[in-house]
Amino acid sequence: MTSLMVGAVLGFMAMGMGVPLLLALARLFGVYAVVEERTCRVYVFLGRVVAVLDEPGLHLLWARLGWKALLVNWVGRCHVIDLRLDQQYLRSLAVNSEEGAPMGIGIWYEMSISDPLKYLFENADPRGSLAANVSNATVRCLSNMKLGRMLESRHGMSRTVRAEVSPMSHAYGYQLGSVYIRKVHFRDAGMIHQIEEKVVNRLRQVTSAIRQDGANQVSILTSSADRQAAIAFAKAAALRPRIVGAALQRIAQDPEVSTAMFELLEVQRLQEGSARVTLVPEAQKDELLVQLLASTPPSRG
């Protein structure tokens, strides 16, 4: 039983270490190769390209290369090319507008390797060459444009640059994808300062105009309200004599009510006045009148 367990453990260890070692030796002697997704393998043997594997999966090299597969990893070379989508951003490319304004343009573009052989063997720096081509095309196509169009039509400028660069990108083994003008800016600090001053002054003018328009609207509303109030007060003043006259006419139809009302009004006026009033009882009125006449000094005339 013990020997069986020891044999199982040794067999497991031999499988765990032997299989990877065997696969590594198979790859080393060119038995097979595994191409990952969006990659490409280019085999070069004695200065010549003998195989290009761009389909993902397992490939038997002996069936493709014959006897060269046994030596290609020793004498030759295998280039693994990344075919995934890549991108690059070029900042502040110098161009001039038709009006002579120094402008800077930031352009973003994406690309992928479409021809691995041209990418490897026809240019020492294909990525740099493509960037230089994009930069030159941007400056050549977008210079001497009107400033307003340069600031507004980024989509049109992007399409122009892409149409100019796309045919040339195949010469470097690249396929150009989307191209987009991300930024258009002024490069002269003095011009930027002048534009800022103009914008600030324009904002002040607009703010002042809005404020004055609001004040005018408030003034119009206030004048209209005052006019309507004056009309209403005038109508009320015109109606008051007619209302008072109608009330007095109704009161005058009853003499007792009329007399009582006028007496009350007379007493009210006396109370509201500043003169001193002395109330005399009815029974002492004649006696008091005699005393007042007697105390009055005779006139000299």
Side-chain angles (χ1 to χ4, degrees):
M1 186 65 181
T2 304
S3 60
L4 180 61
M5 293 295 295
V6 172
V9 172
L10 292 176
F12 180 77
M13 293 179 63
M15 291 293 293
M17 299 177 60
V19 171
L21 181 60
L22 182 61
L23 295 177
L25 290 175
R27 289 195 299 271
L28 185 61
F29 287 101
V31 177
Y32 76 96
V34 177
V35 179
E36 298 180 355
E37 190 74 25
R38 299 298 298 170
T39 60
C40 176
R41 286 175 173 264
V42 178
Y43 288 92
V44 180
F45 184 73
L46 299 179
R48 297 184 60 184
V49 177
V50 293
V52 177
L53 304 179
D54 54 359
E55 292 293 332
L58 179 65
H59 295 267
L60 298 177
L61 295 182
W62 286 3
R64 296 286 301 271
L65 304 179
W67 63 272
K68 298 177 184 176
L70 185 63
L71 302 175
V72 72
N73 290 326
W74 300 86
V75 181
R77 185 175 181 184
C78 176
H79 298 274
V80 180
I81 308 299
D82 190 352
L83 301 180
R84 291 178 295 179
L85 195 65
D86 197 2
Q87 60 183 356
Q88 188 168 357
Y89 181 58
L90 302 179
R91 300 178 182 276
S92 191
L93 300 178
V95 298
N96 291 324
S97 67
E98 187 181 26
E99 295 83 356
M103 305 295 293
I105 291 180
I107 183 169
W108 171 89
Y109 62 94
E110 60 182 11
M111 69 286 191
S112 62
I113 298 175
S114 60
D115 192 335
L117 298 182
K118 289 184 178 178
Y119 174 79
L120 285 175
F121 304 112
E122 294 189 6
N123 196 298
D125 184 11
R127 184 184 179 90
S129 298
L130 180 62
N133 193 9
V134 172
S135 176
N136 294 333
T138 302
V139 175
R140 184 173 62 256
C141 297
L142 304 185
S143 292
N144 296 324
M145 291 180 63
K146 289 187 176 297
L147 182 59
R149 184 184 174 190
M150 189 178 294
L151 293 174
E152 294 175 356
S153 61
R154 296 186 184 183
H155 182 63
M157 293 192 297
S158 302
R159 294 180 60 184
T160 302
V161 175
R162 189 181 187 283
E164 180 72 15
V165 177
S166 184
M168 295 298 298
S169 64
H170 297 290
Y172 312 126
Y174 276 108
Q175 181 180 5
L176 196 65
S178 299
V179 177
Y180 183 64
I181 304 294
R182 291 182 59 183
K183 185 178 181 180
V184 179
H185 63 94
F186 294 95
R187 292 188 291 113
D188 189 1
M191 182 176 292
I192 295 174
H193 183 64
Q194 291 179 0
I195 293 174
E196 289 177 349
E197 287 184 349
K198 288 183 179 179
V199 172
V200 170
N201 292 332
R202 182 57 180 164
L203 290 176
R204 287 175 179 171
Q205 292 176 358
V206 172
T207 303
S208 178
I210 293 174
R211 187 176 298 169
Q212 184 62 40
D213 183 67
N216 294 337
Q217 294 293 333
V218 171
S219 178
I220 291 173
L221 294 175
T222 304
S223 301
S224 178
D226 292 342
R227 182 174 58 82
Q228 293 179 358
I231 294 172
F233 283 127
K235 289 181 179 179
L239 291 175
R240 183 175 180 277
R242 188 176 67 182
I243 295 173
V244 173
L248 291 175
Q249 185 179 5
R250 293 182 60 185
I251 293 172
Q253 293 176 358
D254 191 342
E256 293 182 358
V257 174
S258 176
T259 304
M261 185 194 70
F262 282 112
E263 288 179 355
L264 288 175
L265 292 176
E266 185 178 359
V267 171
Q268 183 179 1
R269 294 294 300 270
L270 289 174
Q271 289 179 349
E272 293 175 354
S274 60
R276 297 180 61 183
V277 178
T278 303
L279 299 178
V280 179
E282 184 67 22
Q284 299 177 1
K285 182 172 65 177
D286 295 339
E287 184 181 355
L288 181 60
L289 181 61
V290 172
Q291 292 177 0
L292 290 174
L293 293 174
S295 62
T296 303
S299 61
R300 295 180 182 179

